[in-house]
Amino acid sequence: MNPTPPDLVTDELSVLSELVTLSDQKIIELGCGSARLARALVERYPGTHVTGLETDQCQHAKNLAAPQEQLKFLLAGAQAIPFPEASFDLVLMLKSLHHVPIPWMAQAIGEVGRVLRQGGHFYVSEPVYHGPLNEIIRLFNDEGEVRRAAQAAVDEAMGSKYWVQVAQRWFDMPVRFRDFEDFEQRMMRSTFANHRADDEMLSAVRERFAPHCGADGAYFTRPMHVRLLRRQAHST
């Protein structure tokens, strides 16, 4: 008998809201990107305040140019969170832990534990290294090593007395590109990474992408793995 296929999730906030309390919370998102989920979160839960940290100066400037009530942005990395101990009820990392340099991943999770109150939660959502979209992306940005390192860092954290895993989820997120030019701009020309895409690489990626693209664009699913950890006690 085949296993049940993962749920298709279009809005990760629906997954998050099933797992943790979001009303009247102090939340920090590490590596917030365009802060799409954070913006939706404060709209849906007006008593909640979210701080978004981002290391990409271009994206940070865009975030600052679109202010929103109960949402603020800081230019900082997860390995050095500029807040005192026990400042937050919930820490989010959405597809961002694997972007932390490998030597700093354990330090970043340590920082998460430092700024969380006792009993607070750490929601870490990482893409699974699998699927047709991944096979295209790895031609110019093979994240196999960093994604394995991110999962290993979470595994190591759970081996300590300060964390306990209280939930995990697997689901698929739909991803659509209008055409190859849309894919190139979003996936190969991001401001936070230089993939040095020359003509030969572009040709190879375009060739791999083409069979997936129809008249109304290219549709993929990105498999995701969520783990929710609870902070047990503060280290000394």
Side-chain angles (χ1 to χ4, degrees):
M1 181 176 180
N2 292 328
T4 302
D7 293 334
L8 190 65
V9 172
T10 59
D11 177 11
E12 192 164 352
L13 184 52
S14 64
V15 177
L16 179 62
S17 65
E18 291 177 0
L19 297 178
V20 293
T21 298
L22 295 176
S23 297
D24 302 311
Q25 300 290 291
K26 291 183 67 177
I27 300 172
I28 186 167
E29 182 179 354
L30 308 177
C32 66
S34 63
R36 183 185 62 81
L37 183 138
R39 293 183 185 279
L41 199 159
V42 295
E43 287 178 359
R44 195 174 303 179
Y45 301 93
T48 288
H49 292 77
V50 179
T51 299
L53 264 60
E54 179 57 50
T55 59
D56 176 27
Q57 294 188 7
C58 293
Q59 183 60 64
H60 179 60
K62 292 178 182 178
N63 291 340
L64 292 177
Q68 191 168 341
E69 289 291 327
Q70 294 154 236
L71 177 59
K72 67 177 182 179
F73 298 103
L74 293 175
L75 188 66
Q79 71 277 5
I81 302 173
F83 287 93
E85 292 185 5
S87 293
F88 297 97
D89 303 301
L90 173 64
V91 176
L92 307 176
M93 293 194 81
L94 306 170
K95 301 189 291 291
S96 60
L97 180 56
H98 71 275
H99 289 301
V100 175
I102 291 175
W104 294 348
M105 284 182 181
Q107 181 176 326
I109 294 178
E111 280 286 271
V112 170
R114 183 183 65 80
V115 301
L116 265 178
R117 64 171 176 78
Q118 187 170 337
H121 289 92
F122 177 30
Y123 177 98
V124 56
S125 175
E126 279 289 307
V128 177
Y129 192 70
H130 177 71
L133 179 59
N134 186 79
E135 289 302 300
I136 298 171
I137 293 173
R138 73 182 183 89
L139 294 176
F140 59 89
N141 182 27
D142 192 336
E143 293 186 328
E145 181 182 5
V146 294
R147 293 197 199 173
R148 286 191 294 271
Q151 296 292 351
V154 178
D155 290 340
E156 183 178 357
M158 290 193 303
S160 77
K161 64 182 179 181
Y162 302 116
W163 295 105
V164 60
Q165 180 172 292
V166 294
Q168 65 178 328
R169 295 284 189 277
W170 285 268
F171 59 88
D172 288 338
M173 294 198 76
V175 183
R176 176 183 178 269
F177 302 97
R178 295 188 305 274
D179 49 31
F180 180 74
E181 286 67 30
D182 184 33
F183 174 89
E184 179 186 351
Q185 185 62 39
R186 289 164 54 187
M187 307 304 294
M188 305 181 73
R189 307 292 184 185
S190 61
T191 57
F192 62 84
N194 180 4
H195 298 302
R196 297 179 175 84
D198 57 20
D199 290 344
E200 183 178 357
M201 179 184 290
L202 276 174
S203 178
V205 176
R206 184 188 293 271
E207 182 178 355
R208 186 72 62 86
F209 179 88
H212 300 278
C213 195
D216 59 344
Y219 293 84
F220 299 91
T221 57
R222 177 181 284 126
M224 300 296 300
H225 181 198
V226 163
R227 290 196 270 185
L228 182 69
L229 279 60
R230 185 173 62 240
R231 187 71 166 97
Q232 293 291 83
H234 290 291
S235 61
T236 57

